[in-house]
Short mmCIF file of all heavy atoms in Angstrom, two decimals:
data_model
loop_
_atom_site.label_atom_id
_atom_site.label_comp_id
_atom_site.label_asym_id
_atom_site.label_seq_id
_atom_site.Cartn_x
_atom_site.Cartn_y
_atom_site.Cartn_z
N ASN A 1106 117.53 58.96 -98.99
CA ASN A 1106 116.33 58.58 -98.26
C ASN A 1106 116.15 57.06 -98.26
O ASN A 1106 115.29 56.50 -98.94
CB ASN A 1106 115.12 59.28 -98.86
CG ASN A 1106 113.95 59.35 -97.90
OD1 ASN A 1106 113.77 58.47 -97.07
ND2 ASN A 1106 113.16 60.41 -98.02
N SER A 1109 119.40 52.30 -94.74
CA SER A 1109 120.81 52.06 -94.43
C SER A 1109 121.53 53.37 -94.10
O SER A 1109 122.30 53.44 -93.14
CB SER A 1109 121.51 51.34 -95.59
OG SER A 1109 121.43 52.11 -96.79
N ALA A 1141 99.77 81.58 -72.03
CA ALA A 1141 100.18 80.72 -70.92
C ALA A 1141 99.68 79.29 -71.06
O ALA A 1141 100.18 78.39 -70.38
CB ALA A 1141 99.70 81.31 -69.59
N GLU A 1147 106.83 70.31 -73.00
CA GLU A 1147 108.25 70.07 -73.21
C GLU A 1147 108.46 69.75 -74.69
O GLU A 1147 107.68 68.99 -75.27
CB GLU A 1147 108.75 68.92 -72.34
CG GLU A 1147 108.76 69.25 -70.86
CD GLU A 1147 109.47 68.18 -70.05
OE1 GLU A 1147 110.35 67.48 -70.61
OE2 GLU A 1147 109.13 68.02 -68.87
N ALA A 1148 109.51 70.32 -75.25
CA ALA A 1148 109.73 70.22 -76.69
C ALA A 1148 109.72 68.79 -77.20
O ALA A 1148 109.15 68.49 -78.25
CB ALA A 1148 111.04 70.90 -77.06
N VAL A 1156 109.83 59.08 -89.72
CA VAL A 1156 109.36 57.89 -90.44
C VAL A 1156 107.99 58.15 -91.06
O VAL A 1156 107.08 58.68 -90.42
CB VAL A 1156 109.27 56.68 -89.49
CG1 VAL A 1156 108.73 55.45 -90.22
CG2 VAL A 1156 110.63 56.37 -88.89
N ARG A 1157 107.85 57.82 -92.34
CA ARG A 1157 106.61 58.01 -93.07
C ARG A 1157 105.76 56.74 -93.07
O ARG A 1157 106.29 55.63 -93.09
CB ARG A 1157 106.88 58.41 -94.52
CG ARG A 1157 107.59 59.73 -94.69
CD ARG A 1157 107.86 60.03 -96.17
NE ARG A 1157 106.61 60.14 -96.93
CZ ARG A 1157 106.22 59.26 -97.84
NH1 ARG A 1157 106.97 58.21 -98.14
NH2 ARG A 1157 105.08 59.43 -98.49
N ASP A 1164 104.59 57.22 -103.09
CA ASP A 1164 105.97 57.53 -102.69
C ASP A 1164 106.36 56.60 -101.54
O ASP A 1164 105.82 56.71 -100.44
CB ASP A 1164 106.06 58.99 -102.25
CG ASP A 1164 107.47 59.38 -101.82
OD1 ASP A 1164 108.39 58.54 -101.90
OD2 ASP A 1164 107.65 60.54 -101.37
N SER A 1177 100.68 73.46 -78.65
CA SER A 1177 99.34 73.91 -78.28
C SER A 1177 99.06 73.52 -76.82
O SER A 1177 99.84 72.82 -76.19
CB SER A 1177 98.27 73.29 -79.19
OG SER A 1177 97.90 71.99 -78.75
N VAL A 1186 93.93 73.82 -81.55
CA VAL A 1186 94.88 74.28 -82.55
C VAL A 1186 95.95 75.13 -81.87
O VAL A 1186 95.74 75.68 -80.79
CB VAL A 1186 94.20 75.07 -83.68
CG1 VAL A 1186 93.07 74.25 -84.30
CG2 VAL A 1186 93.67 76.42 -83.20
N SER A 1198 110.33 75.45 -95.64
CA SER A 1198 109.89 75.59 -94.25
C SER A 1198 108.72 76.57 -94.16
O SER A 1198 108.53 77.42 -95.03
CB SER A 1198 111.04 76.08 -93.38
OG SER A 1198 112.18 75.23 -93.49
N ILE A 1216 83.12 74.25 -86.01
CA ILE A 1216 83.67 75.50 -86.56
C ILE A 1216 82.68 76.15 -87.51
O ILE A 1216 82.46 77.37 -87.45
CB ILE A 1216 85.02 75.24 -87.25
CG1 ILE A 1216 86.06 74.84 -86.21
CG2 ILE A 1216 85.48 76.48 -88.01
CD1 ILE A 1216 87.41 74.45 -86.78
N LEU A 1231 89.99 88.34 -90.09
CA LEU A 1231 90.53 88.10 -91.42
C LEU A 1231 90.77 89.38 -92.22
O LEU A 1231 91.60 89.39 -93.13
CB LEU A 1231 89.60 87.18 -92.21
CG LEU A 1231 89.87 85.68 -92.10
CD1 LEU A 1231 89.87 85.20 -90.66
CD2 LEU A 1231 88.84 84.88 -92.90
N GLY A 1253 72.20 72.56 -94.97
CA GLY A 1253 71.98 73.00 -93.60
C GLY A 1253 72.55 74.37 -93.30
O GLY A 1253 72.32 74.92 -92.21
N LYS A 1262 81.70 81.53 -98.02
CA LYS A 1262 82.95 81.03 -98.61
C LYS A 1262 83.68 80.11 -97.66
O LYS A 1262 84.24 79.08 -98.08
CB LYS A 1262 83.83 82.23 -98.99
CG LYS A 1262 85.24 81.87 -99.41
CD LYS A 1262 86.07 83.12 -99.65
CE LYS A 1262 87.53 82.76 -99.95
NZ LYS A 1262 88.35 83.98 -100.16
N SER A 1268 88.67 72.25 -93.27
CA SER A 1268 89.81 72.63 -92.43
C SER A 1268 90.09 74.10 -92.70
O SER A 1268 89.75 74.62 -93.77
CB SER A 1268 91.04 71.76 -92.73
OG SER A 1268 91.39 71.83 -94.10
N LEU A 1279 116.72 82.24 -93.13
CA LEU A 1279 116.18 82.54 -91.81
C LEU A 1279 116.36 81.36 -90.86
O LEU A 1279 116.71 81.54 -89.68
CB LEU A 1279 114.70 82.90 -91.91
CG LEU A 1279 114.00 83.23 -90.59
CD1 LEU A 1279 114.60 84.48 -89.95
CD2 LEU A 1279 112.50 83.41 -90.79
N PHE A 1286 115.32 83.34 -86.32
CA PHE A 1286 114.25 82.39 -86.59
C PHE A 1286 113.23 82.40 -85.46
O PHE A 1286 112.01 82.45 -85.70
CB PHE A 1286 114.84 80.99 -86.76
CG PHE A 1286 113.84 79.90 -87.04
CD1 PHE A 1286 113.39 79.66 -88.33
CD2 PHE A 1286 113.35 79.12 -86.01
CE1 PHE A 1286 112.47 78.65 -88.59
CE2 PHE A 1286 112.43 78.11 -86.25
CZ PHE A 1286 111.99 77.87 -87.54
N PHE A 1300 93.30 84.26 -84.73
CA PHE A 1300 92.71 83.22 -85.59
C PHE A 1300 92.63 81.90 -84.83
O PHE A 1300 91.58 81.24 -84.80
CB PHE A 1300 93.57 83.07 -86.84
CG PHE A 1300 93.10 82.04 -87.84
CD1 PHE A 1300 92.09 82.35 -88.75
CD2 PHE A 1300 93.68 80.79 -87.88
CE1 PHE A 1300 91.68 81.40 -89.69
CE2 PHE A 1300 93.26 79.84 -88.81
CZ PHE A 1300 92.25 80.14 -89.72
N LEU A 1308 85.91 75.20 -80.99
CA LEU A 1308 86.18 73.78 -80.72
C LEU A 1308 86.09 73.44 -79.23
O LEU A 1308 86.43 72.32 -78.84
CB LEU A 1308 87.57 73.42 -81.24
CG LEU A 1308 87.72 73.45 -82.77
CD1 LEU A 1308 89.19 73.44 -83.17
CD2 LEU A 1308 86.98 72.29 -83.40
#
Side-chain angles (χ1 to χ4, degrees):
N1106 201 328
S1109 59
E1147 292 189 26
V1156 178
R1157 297 179 62 249
D1164 179 3
S1177 84
V1186 306
S1198 305
I1216 293 175
L1231 270 56
K1262 171 185 175 181
S1268 56
L1279 180 64
F1286 180 84
F1300 180 82
L1308 292 165

